[in-house]
Amino acid sequence: MASGIKITDFQIAQDQLRKKLAEFKNKNFVTVGIHEDAGNHAGSAKTNAQIGALLNYGDETNTLNGHAAPIPPRPWLIPGVQSGMQDVVDTIKNGIETDLPVDVIMEQVGAFAAGATQQYMTDLKTPPNSPYTIAQKGSSNPLIDTGALRASVTYVVTNDEPEEGI
């Protein structure tokens, strides 16, 4: 007789997996980005969330110190989260395999996704800043000036379905 998994063991494992996955469904959400409570951007009347959206979508009519300084779209949120997707999938898989509570798994997912997004912002180089913007900032990184905006990228775990966002 060959050793191995019995059909009943497989059914038990399958039932446990279904139960764990049902805990995730429709009641656990992780939002990643710059949340409204991140406050105002240093030296600006705009919030960090508004600046983040401006950089994500661009503004061809932008001016800086009276000079035309169009901001091309530099999508950072969705590509940033996507850049960490393998870590997110591995985190969920490991959490289910080790029977971690769903809230712990969701916290880990949020931390990985926010960290991947911050790294993506750091690494983004295109489209480049204009020479004038580089001269004003003293840096060529399109999404980083002081680092405060990147630091405001966080995550929130909630049971409430998000009402807005990208």
Side-chain angles (χ1 to χ4, degrees), residues 68-130:
I71 301 171
R74 293 185 178 98
W76 57 268
L77 182 55
I78 292 173
V81 170
Q82 288 173 337
S83 73
M85 197 52 64
Q86 188 59 55
D87 285 333
V88 167
V89 169
D90 292 345
T91 297
I92 294 169
K93 180 180 177 233
N94 182 59
I96 290 172
E97 287 173 351
T98 59
D99 200 29
L100 287 176
V102 171
D103 59 332
V104 172
I105 296 170
M106 299 303 274
E107 288 288 332
Q108 292 175 348
V109 164
F112 275 120
T117 303
Q118 290 172 333
Q119 188 62 52
Y120 186 88
M121 291 175 80
T122 302
D123 295 342
L124 186 78
K125 302 295 182 228
T126 59
N129 282 327
S130 72

Side-chain angles (χ1 to χ4, degrees), residues 139-157:
S139 163
S140 63
N141 189 309
L143 295 180
I144 310 293
D145 187 1
T146 66
L149 188 69
R150 176 186 53 207
S152 70
V153 174
T154 59
Y155 70 94
V156 173
V157 176

Side-chain angles (χ1 to χ4, degrees), residues 2-165:
S3 64
I5 298 175
K6 297 177 185 174
I7 297 295
T8 54
D9 293 337
F10 178 74
Q11 185 64 46
I12 290 169
Q14 195 174 36
D15 290 345
Q16 289 173 337
L17 181 59
R18 278 193 186 109
K19 180 181 175 191
K20 193 67 161 184
L21 290 174
E23 292 178 39
F24 283 93
K25 191 174 183 182
N26 297 328
K27 64 177 185 172
N28 295 284
F29 300 92
V30 177
T31 60
V32 176
I34 302 173
H35 297 85
E36 280 299 326
D37 63 357
N40 281 14
H41 192 67
S44 173
K46 294 184 179 182
T47 66
N48 281 319
Q50 289 169 322
I51 298 292
L54 173 72
L55 294 172
N56 193 77
Y57 295 110
D59 179 3
E60 295 302 318
T61 65
N62 186 62
T63 60
L64 182 62
N65 299 328
H67 295 86
I71 301 171
R74 293 185 178 98
W76 57 268
L77 182 55
I78 292 173
V81 170
Q82 288 173 337
S83 73
M85 197 52 64
Q86 188 59 55
D87 285 333
V88 167
V89 169
D90 292 345
T91 297
I92 294 169
K93 180 180 177 233
N94 182 59
I96 290 172
E97 287 173 351
T98 59
D99 200 29
L100 287 176
V102 171
D103 59 332
V104 172
I105 296 170
M106 299 303 274
E107 288 288 332
Q108 292 175 348
V109 164
F112 275 120
T117 303
Q118 290 172 333
Q119 188 62 52
Y120 186 88
M121 291 175 80
T122 302
D123 295 342
L124 186 78
K125 302 295 182 228
T126 59
N129 282 327
S130 72
Y132 180 79
T133 302
I134 293 169
Q136 294 301 305
K137 283 175 45 171
S139 163
S140 63
N141 189 309
L143 295 180
I144 310 293
D145 187 1
T146 66
L149 188 69
R150 176 186 53 207
S152 70
V153 174
T154 59
Y155 70 94
V156 173
V157 176
T158 180
N159 292 330
D160 299 324
E161 186 170 358
E163 295 179 12
E164 60 182 275

